[in-house]
């Protein structure tokens, strides 16, 4: 056994974990093993990265980060964490357009599952990918770049196509962010002024425990230093927090990135949590559903109706926005998107018993589950061909690239891949 995922709710079945130190070693390993799965920073809450064969970590590949200023991309080994690459980019005068709430996640793992941050004009982390280097089932090393025929199917790939060894990511000139937290936004105001609130900063997140179903407890606004105008002192009824906040009630905010309007580098403000501390709460489970932004208000109202049964199970719920992309299996593909994220108490049977109710409430809005979090996979199998117009194209791509099923696992099988 090779241990568990980050939250401890998944015990991996793989008999061994290999950490090759070169792409050539990855090739040899893939050619020799009948079943392989790449394992990243273990921040998934389901068995998407599990295998009955050999688990492969690419975290030991040579740590070579190369900036191509002409193409405005950075090439980095796939096993690096976003928190590892970001300070080096900043020192060179460059930045990434977006980061997730945790800087502790690996590049390839975050990209493969469609992980994202927040922002009306900010797409998912995968949408910034300009190229992926993949070791496929036959041991070939393939480089897919934006514009190639299959590129849009190879980025958010659920680990189904091979072991990603390197990625090329779009970069922009470095920038600074100031983060301000507001307390006590009336839910009625949040729904009436949803578009105005999410547009008040480069990245905006709303947090609620649903214990008071008529209040959004906190609004985290991350504004670029070069954004015009000033942040309002009153945000539709919410007031600036009197001190530093953590999204989870009662948790020490020392772990969170700096607030109070203090400017700092993009990589030290866009995440909610600092790299040097344990991310989020640790003792938790997570789910997230992403749906077209046009349905955001109606979907939030559906969730609010579940508040009496939801509140005892959820530690905090986060509302975010994501710009559209064109990647085949991205939960933000095709439309501007709202994400409704749930950090659950660590009671998996109770959470899994509740998920069908939650998913039924969100189904009319075309809600897509986050690939790396808890959801009803059996029910999703029936919905994914309608939720993802390129689903069958991806299934055909997987069959072409991996006819032996080297990278197939129980998770993919349950989805019909």
């Amino acid at each position: 056994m090779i241990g568990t995922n980050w939250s401890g709710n998944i015990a991996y079945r793989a008999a061994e974990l290999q950490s090759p130190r070169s792409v050539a070693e990855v090739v040899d390993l893939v050619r020799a093993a009948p079943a392989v799965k790449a394992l990243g920073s273990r921040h998934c809450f389901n068995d998407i990265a599990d295998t009955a064969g050999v688990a492969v970590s690419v975290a030991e590949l040579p740590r070579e980060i190369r900036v191509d200023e002409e193409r405005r991309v950075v090439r980095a080994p796939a096993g690096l964490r976003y928190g590892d690459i970001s300070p080096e980019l900043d020192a060179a005068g460059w930045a990434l357009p977006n980061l997730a709430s945790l800087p502790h996640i690996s590049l390839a793992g975050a990209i493969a599952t469609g992980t994202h941050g927040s922002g009306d004009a900010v797409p998912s982390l995968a949408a910034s990918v300009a190229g992926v280097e993949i070791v496929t089932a036959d041991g070939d090393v393939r480089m897919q770049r934006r514009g190639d025929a299959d590129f849009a199917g190879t980025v958010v790939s659920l680990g189904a196509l091979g072991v990603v060894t390197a990625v090329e990511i779009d970069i922009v000139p470095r920038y600074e962010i100031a983060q301000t937290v507001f307390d006590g936004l009336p839910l009625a105001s949040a729904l009436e002024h949803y578009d105005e609130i999410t547009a008040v900063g480069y990245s905006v997140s709303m947090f609620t425990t649903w214990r008071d179903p008529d209040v959004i407890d906190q609004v985290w606004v991350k504004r670029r230093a070069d954004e015009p105008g000033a942040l309002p002192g009153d945000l539709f009824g919410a007031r600036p927090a009197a001190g530093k906040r953590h999204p989870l009630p009662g948790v020490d905010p020392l772990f969170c990135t700096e607030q109070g309007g203090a400017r700092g580098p993009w990589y030290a403000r866009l995440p909610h949590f600092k790299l040097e501390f344990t991310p989020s709460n640790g003792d938790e489970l997570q789910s997230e559903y992403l749906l077209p932004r046009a349905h955001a208000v109606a979907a939030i109202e559906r969730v609010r109706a579940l508040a009496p049964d939801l509140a005892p199970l959820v530690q905090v719920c986060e509302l975010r926005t994501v710009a559209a992309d064109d990647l085949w299996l991205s939960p933000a593909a095709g439309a501007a998107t709202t994400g409704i994220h749930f950090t659950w108490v660590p009671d998996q049977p109770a959470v899994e018993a509740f998920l069908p109710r939650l998913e039924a409430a969100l189904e009319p809005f075309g809600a897509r589950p986050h690939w790396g979090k808890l959801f009803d996979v059996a029910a999703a199998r029936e919905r994914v061909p309608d939720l993802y117009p390129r689903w069958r194209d991806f299934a055909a791509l997987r069959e072409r690239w991996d006819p032996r099923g080297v990278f197939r696992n129980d998770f993919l099988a349950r989805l019909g891949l």
Side-chain angles (χ1 to χ4, degrees):
M1 300 291 291
I2 63 168
T4 70
N5 64 340
W6 172 77
S7 64
N9 72 303
I10 296 290
Y12 293 111
R13 297 186 301 134
E16 58 178 316
L17 173 64
Q18 295 286 337
S19 299
R21 296 181 177 272
S22 69
V23 174
E25 289 183 15
V26 177
V27 169
D28 291 343
L29 192 155
V30 169
R31 284 177 174 166
V36 175
K37 205 69 180 175
L39 186 64
S41 49
R42 305 192 184 204
H43 204 271
C44 287
F45 294 82
N46 57 40
D47 60 347
I48 189 172
D50 201 9
T51 179
V54 178
V56 178
S57 168
V58 294
E60 298 301 320
L61 292 181
R63 195 184 187 283
E64 184 178 5
I65 300 172
R66 297 202 308 265
V67 172
D68 185 332
E69 296 193 358
E70 183 175 347
R71 292 177 57 214
R72 287 201 169 194
V73 300
V74 58
R75 179 185 170 95
L80 281 187
R81 301 178 301 172
Y82 278 89
D84 297 325
I85 186 177
S86 296
E88 291 193 32
L89 273 179
D90 187 75
W94 295 96
L96 299 176
N98 193 14
L99 289 172
S101 58
L102 303 176
H104 309 73
I105 53 179
S106 66
L107 301 178
I111 290 163
T113 55
T115 296
H116 59 92
S118 178
D120 287 1
V122 183
S124 73
L125 302 180
S128 294
V129 173
V132 286
E133 180 184 88
I134 309 176
V135 177
T136 60
D138 56 9
D140 285 348
V141 181
R142 300 192 186 189
M143 188 69 200
Q144 290 282 305
R145 288 196 170 94
R146 189 179 287 132
D148 291 344
D150 293 328
F151 174 76
T154 61
V155 182
V156 181
S157 65
L158 317 186
L161 303 179
V163 178
V164 176
T165 51
V167 293
E168 293 179 344
I169 305 175
D170 297 331
I171 55 176
V172 297
R174 74 175 302 276
Y175 54 94
E176 291 190 328
I177 293 281
Q179 180 171 224
T180 304
V181 176
F182 290 80
D183 288 337
L185 174 68
L187 180 65
S189 294
L191 299 180
E192 182 181 355
H193 302 285
Y194 185 79
D195 290 342
E196 297 159 271
I197 292 168
T198 63
V200 78
Y202 184 73
S203 171
V204 176
S205 292
M206 294 183 250
F207 294 96
T208 180
T209 63
W210 293 114
R211 293 169 191 165
D212 183 341
D214 295 320
V215 175
I216 298 293
D217 302 312
Q218 301 174 25
V219 183
W220 290 34
V221 178
K222 304 167 193 274
R223 284 174 57 91
R224 287 181 56 135
D226 55 3
E227 287 186 59
L231 190 62
D234 179 288
L235 188 64
F236 300 100
R239 302 294 298 173
K244 193 172 181 180
R245 297 288 186 259
H246 190 289
L248 302 182
V251 178
D252 191 336
L254 176 68
F255 298 167
C256 299
T257 48
E258 296 307 319
Q259 302 165 15
R263 288 171 50 171
W266 55 280
Y267 67 88
R269 296 293 185 275
L270 284 178
H272 298 333
F273 304 100
K274 297 177 179 178
L275 179 65
E276 60 267 31
F277 292 105
T278 300
S280 191
N281 191 35
D283 195 13
E284 63 189 44
L285 302 169
Q286 293 182 11
S287 300
E288 185 175 27
Y289 299 91
L290 297 106
L291 49 97
R293 183 191 177 114
H295 303 313
V297 169
I300 295 167
E301 288 175 333
R302 286 287 184 92
V303 173
R304 187 236 180 265
L306 297 174
D309 297 322
L310 177 63
L313 292 174
V314 73
Q315 297 190 56
V316 73
C317 175
E318 181 178 5
L319 308 175
R320 294 183 277 186
T321 59
V322 189
D325 61 53
D326 62 355
L327 304 175
W328 293 359
L329 296 193
S330 168
T337 295
T338 282
I340 306 179
H341 184 281
F342 300 88
T343 298
W344 306 106
V345 298
D347 184 346
Q348 190 154 342
V351 170
E352 289 183 339
F354 184 76
L355 287 180
R357 286 185 61 196
L358 177 61
E359 293 177 4
L362 296 176
E363 183 179 3
F365 310 113
R368 297 163 167 168
H370 188 297
W371 294 115
K373 302 185 188 293
L374 287 180
F375 63 97
D376 188 339
V377 181
R381 178 172 182 158
E382 304 302 317
R383 299 171 185 165
V384 287
D386 295 324
L387 294 175
Y388 294 92
R390 302 299 299 270
W391 180 258
R392 292 180 177 85
D393 293 329
F394 181 80
L397 179 65
R398 190 212 65 79
E399 182 62 27
R400 292 200 313 271
W401 280 39
D402 185 18
R404 294 190 292 121
V406 173
F407 303 107
R408 198 167 189 252
N409 64 357
D410 289 348
F411 179 88
L412 295 176
R414 294 199 304 277
L415 285 171
L417 289 173

